[in-house]
C-alpha cells in the first residue's frame, strides 16, 4: 500500500478521511463487481480526471484487474454524463465545492441511478451532495497541484483492489421483508425526458423510463428534476431547491 506523507506533526490521513476513503473503496468495488463503469470529471482540473481513469484502466500492479473508467472532458460534462451514465455506474469528480458542473451532475445522479464520489478541498459541499466525499479541508489554492488529490485517488484505487481480494465483501444481503423502508415507494428524484402535453410526463429513473402524473406541479420542462412519490410529481427541484 502507498504510505501517506507526513502533514505537519501528524502522519498519514486524518481518521475521518481514512474512514471515508475505505467506505468509498468498498462501494466502488461492489459497483465494479456488478459491471459498473467509472466516469471521471474534473472540469477545472482535467488532468486529474484523465489520471484517475488511467489508474483504473491501466493498473501498474501485476495481476491487478483493469477496470472500466472514462474521463469526461467535454465542454458540457453534464450533457455528456447524461448520455453516458447508466444505472449502477459511478461518477467520480475532482473539483471544489462551488464547481457548477459537478454540483449539477451530483444532484442528477440519483435519477440516473449512479453513485457519486467527490474529491476536493477547502469549503465542503453541502451535506448529502454526494454519496462519498473525500475532502482536504486546506483552502490553499495550490492544493490541486500539491499531490494531495493524487494520493487520495491512488489510495482509492489500491483499496478497491484490496476489496476484490475478499469476495465476501462484494455482496450485500437483499431485503427479504415484504415491505421495508428501503424498498417502499419513498419520494425519489427523477429527470424529465419528455414533458408531454397533458397531465403526465416521461421521466428517467434508475429503473428505466416511467410515466408520472404532473398535475400537482403544473407544466414541466425537459431535464427538470422532479420529486416523485407513488407515481405523482410533488415538486420541481431547481438548482437552488424547489420551484
Amino acid at each position: 500500500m502507498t504510505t501517506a506523507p507526513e502533514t505537519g506533526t501528524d502522519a498519514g490521513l486524518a481518521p475521518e478521511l481514512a474512514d471515508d476513503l475505505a467506505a468509498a473503496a468498498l462501494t466502488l468495488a461492489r459497483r465494479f463487481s456488478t459491471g459498473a463503469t467509472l466516469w471521471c470529471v474534473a472540469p477545472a482540473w482535467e488532468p486529474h480526471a484523465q489520471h484517475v481513469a488511467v489508474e483504473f484502466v491501466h493498473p501498474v500492479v501485476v495481476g491487478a484487474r483493469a477496470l472500466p473508467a472514462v474521463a469526461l472532458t467535454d465542454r458540457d460534462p453534464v450533457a455528456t454524463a447524461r448520455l453516458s451514465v447508466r444505472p449502477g455506474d459511478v461518477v467520480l469528480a475532482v473539483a471544489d465545492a462551488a464547481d457548477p458542473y459537478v454540483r449539477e451532475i451530483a444532484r442528477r445522479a440519483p435519477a440516473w441511478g449512479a453513485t457519486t464520489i467527490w474529491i476536493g478541498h477547502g469549503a465542503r459541499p453541502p451535506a448529502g451532495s454526494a454519496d462519498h466525499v473525500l475532502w482536504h479541508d486546506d483552502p490553499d489554492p495550490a492544493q490541486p497541484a500539491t499531490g494531495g488529490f493524487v494520493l487520495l485517488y491512488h489510495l482509492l484505487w489500491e483499496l478497491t483492489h484490496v476489496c476484490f481480494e475478499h469476495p465476501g465483501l462484494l455482496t450485500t444481503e437483499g431485503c427479504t421483508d415484504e415491505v421495508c423502508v428501503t424498498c417502499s415507494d419513498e419520494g425519489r428524484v427523477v429527470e424529465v425526458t419528455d414533458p408531454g402535453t397533458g397531465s403526465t410526463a416521461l421521466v428517467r429513473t434508475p429503473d428505466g423510463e416511467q410515466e408520472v402524473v404532473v398535475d400537482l406541479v403544473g407544466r414541466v420542462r425537459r431535464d427538470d428534476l422532479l420529486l416523485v412519490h407513488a407515481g405523482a410529481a410533488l415538486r420541481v427541484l431547481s438548482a437552488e431547491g424547489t420551484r
Side-chain angles (χ1 to χ4, degrees), residues 51-89:
H51 193 164
V52 175
V54 168
E55 287 296 321
F56 283 88
V57 173
H58 298 291
V60 296
V61 176
V62 175
R65 295 170 54 179
L67 300 166
V70 180
L72 299 179
T73 58
D74 294 19
R75 289 186 176 182
D76 186 352
V78 179
T80 305
R82 179 184 290 113
L83 292 173
S84 305
V85 175
R86 293 294 177 263
D89 284 352

Side-chain angles (χ1 to χ4, degrees), residues 109-142:
W112 302 342
T115 298
T116 48
I117 301 174
W118 195 338
I119 295 174
H121 79 112
R124 290 174 175 260
S129 295
D131 295 296
H132 299 279
V133 175
L134 308 178
W135 217 255
H136 288 294
D137 292 317
D138 187 350
D140 184 352

Side-chain angles (χ1 to χ4, degrees), residues 1-5 10-27 117-119 124 132-137 148 151-160 162-163:
M1 295 288 294
T2 301
T3 301
D10 298 325
L13 301 176
E16 297 81 3
L17 180 53
D19 290 343
D20 293 341
L21 190 59
L26 178 58
T27 296
I117 301 174
W118 195 338
I119 295 174
R124 290 174 175 260
H132 299 279
V133 175
L134 308 178
W135 217 255
H136 288 294
D137 292 317
L151 173 64
L152 284 183
Y153 51 73
H154 277 200
L155 288 172
L156 181 63
W157 175 84
E158 292 189 32
L159 289 173
T160 298
V162 169
C163 293

Side-chain angles (χ1 to χ4, degrees), residues 143-231:
Q143 179 69 24
T146 63
F149 291 169
V150 177
L151 173 64
L152 284 183
Y153 51 73
H154 277 200
L155 288 172
L156 181 63
W157 175 84
E158 292 189 32
L159 289 173
T160 298
H161 282 277
V162 169
C163 293
F164 286 143
E165 296 172 3
H166 303 276
L169 295 175
L170 304 181
T171 59
T172 56
E173 295 183 2
C175 175
T176 57
D177 297 334
E178 291 185 7
V179 177
C180 72
V181 173
T182 301
C183 304
S184 63
D185 188 10
E186 297 295 315
R188 56 179 178 163
V189 176
V190 303
E191 184 180 65
V192 177
T193 56
D194 184 350
T197 57
S199 62
T200 62
L202 198 63
V203 300
R204 178 178 179 177
T205 79
D207 302 317
E209 286 193 323
Q210 298 177 8
E211 198 171 54
V212 299
V213 177
V214 294
D215 287 340
L216 293 177
V217 298
R219 185 67 175 166
V220 297
R221 301 184 294 263
R222 184 181 300 276
D223 299 335
D224 271 350
L225 291 181
L226 309 179
L227 182 65
V228 171
H229 173 73

